[in-house]
Every structure is written in C-alpha cells, then in structure tokens.
Amino acid sequence: SQQGEEDPQALSIQEGENATMNCSYKTSINNLQWYRQNSGRGLVHLILIRSNEREKHSGRLRVTLDTSKKSSSLLITASRAADTASYFCATDARGAQKLVFGQGTRLTINP
Amino acid sequence: NAGVTQTPKFQVLKTGQSMTLQCAQDMNHNSMYWYRQDPGMGLRLIYYSASEGTTDKGEVPNGYNVSRLNKREFSLRLESAAPSQTSVYFCASRVPGYNEQFFGPGTRLTVL
C-alpha cells in the first residue's frame, strides 16, 4: 500500500499564484522527497528534507516537514505555466533501501 | 552521460506472451529499481537491487522476474503477460548514501 497520501489530488490555479500540496505518511522516516513528473516523462527529483529538518527552500520551492503529524507540504511560489505537472512525495523509511511514493497531485497552471 | 535509459519505449503484447524490459545507467550507481505506474496513481515498486548480485521484492512482484546483469544493467521480465500488467514501467537508480533517485523515461506497455 502507498505510504504517502497526497492532497489535493488535483489543483488548478492562475499563473503567478502560489500552489500548496500536502503529503501525509505513516511510518518513521529518514527523509521525505518531492518529485515532479511532466506528462509522459519520468520523475525528476526536486527537493529532499531530512527528518531532523522542519523547513527547506530551493528557488521557488518551500518544503515543510512535521514529523509529529507525519506530514509535509510543498509550496511553489509565483507559479508559471511550466510548473504544470504531477508532483509526488516519497518517503525514505528508516532501515529501508527504497522509496514509497504517494499518488501525486496533478497541478495545472492556467495562463 | 545518458543517465538512465530504457528500451523499448512502447510495446504491445498479447496475453501470454513474454518480454524483457531493459534498463541501463551510466552513473556508476549501486542501487536500481523497477516501478509501475497506473493511471492516476503513484509509483509502486516491483523489484529492486541494492547492489550488483542482489535483488529483492517490492510491493507488487507477482508476475515479474528481474536480473541484475552487471552494475549498469537491470532487466525486468514478464514471463506470461496479463492485461493487468498494462502500465507504464519506470527504472530508476541511486547511489547509496545519497537519497535522490534518477529515473528513466519509461516503457509504456499494453497487454491485449
């Protein structure tokens, strides 16, 4: 079963607005990662946040992690049409050598 | 440096046919992974190989076999394809100690 549950499943906003996606998980983790998938393509790694970190930034991306609630959020600021894609969270559980992916949020940026 | 490559890009099979999906990486990564992605869903792990010579089952291994031919190559075999195996298959690799996975472009498989 999927450990990551993402919310919302789909999000449509206007260009320039901020987009927020959420991810919840069930077990203890080493880190949580976010990936982007453009239509018909493979996944591309965006950002990683470790279990002892609470917030991380990379360009227009901001990720938060609340291990007490077992949840994370991805914020994309000042969205662009090129940000249209599906976004997946993936958890790297302690003791595992594999990632478990959520079902993803499909983000559409309208020009 | 091609990263992770997969062949073929597309394949149509009839029920009961067999085929092998090929994956290769040129980044000298130790760990490699096979996932399937069904419409509207995330990726589910089929098999993985933490290092050359080892393979382990993931979440959905039934109906599949894998071979870690060498450090570069990790193949996925469907011995007797079923319509339920219609999916997009992704191969990925990563370096131990680093958590990022690098993905191939995918193989879109249809089983009739």
Side-chain angles (χ1 to χ4, degrees):
Chain A
S1 61
Q2 296 287 327
Q3 158 144 268
E5 299 274 342
E6 291 179 70
D7 169 56
Q9 289 190 339
L11 179 62
S12 180
I13 60 174
Q14 295 300 120
E15 195 167 17
E17 294 180 338
N18 296 341
T20 300
M21 290 158 269
N22 302 296
C23 170
S24 61
Y25 59 93
K26 296 175 183 172
T27 63
S28 295
I29 60 172
N30 284 326
N31 63 74
L32 186 144
Q33 304 174 35
W34 286 90
Y35 287 79
R36 184 185 72 218
Q37 184 181 34
N38 290 92
S39 182
R41 302 287 188 94
L43 278 69
V44 175
H45 183 265
L46 292 176
I47 193 167
L48 178 153
I49 186 165
R50 301 189 188 284
S51 60
N52 61 353
E53 297 176 312
R54 291 297 167 258
E55 187 171 313
K56 199 160 184 181
H57 297 255
S58 176
R60 293 184 296 113
L61 305 180
R62 173 178 167 252
V63 171
T64 61
L65 179 65
D66 186 335
T67 53
S68 66
K69 295 181 179 178
K70 291 187 168 58
S71 67
S72 174
S73 67
L74 172 68
L75 169 67
I76 303 174
T77 61
S79 62
R80 305 167 181 169
D83 294 329
T84 293
S86 291
Y87 292 81
F88 296 90
C89 68
T91 50
D92 191 348
R94 288 183 185 159
Q97 297 190 47
K98 52 194 178 183
L99 295 177
V100 178
F101 285 83
Q103 294 185 346
T105 293
R106 189 168 57 253
L107 175 65
T108 302
I109 309 299
N110 300 304
Chain B
N1 189 333
V4 180
T5 58
Q6 292 183 236
T7 56
K9 285 187 169 54
F10 301 93
Q11 183 71 48
V12 178
L13 294 177
K14 294 181 180 178
T15 296
Q17 287 185 317
S18 63
M19 79 161 294
T20 299
L21 282 65
Q22 306 287 353
C23 174
Q25 50 90 11
D26 61 1
M27 297 174 284
N28 203 34
H29 289 174
N30 291 337
S31 302
M32 297 185 74
Y33 305 81
W34 275 107
Y35 296 91
R36 61 176 287 172
Q37 184 178 34
D38 299 302
M41 296 187 69
L43 276 68
R44 290 185 292 169
L45 183 63
I46 304 171
Y47 271 93
Y48 66 103
S49 170
S51 61
E52 187 179 354
T54 68
T55 60
D56 286 285
K57 295 179 180 179
E59 183 185 353
V60 288
N62 291 345
Y64 305 94
N65 285 301
V66 290
S67 295
R68 183 73 184 268
L69 304 170
N70 48 55
K71 192 170 187 179
R72 289 188 65 248
E73 298 171 291
F74 188 37
S75 62
L76 178 72
R77 182 160 178 84
L78 287 70
E79 290 291 350
S80 179
S84 61
Q85 294 177 305
T86 293
S87 189
V88 181
Y89 291 85
F90 289 99
C91 177
S93 69
R94 81 174 186 182
V95 178
Y98 293 85
N99 300 286
E100 174 183 354
Q101 288 192 12
F102 294 83
F103 283 81
T107 294
R108 189 174 297 273
L109 175 67
T110 301
V111 183
L112 303 175

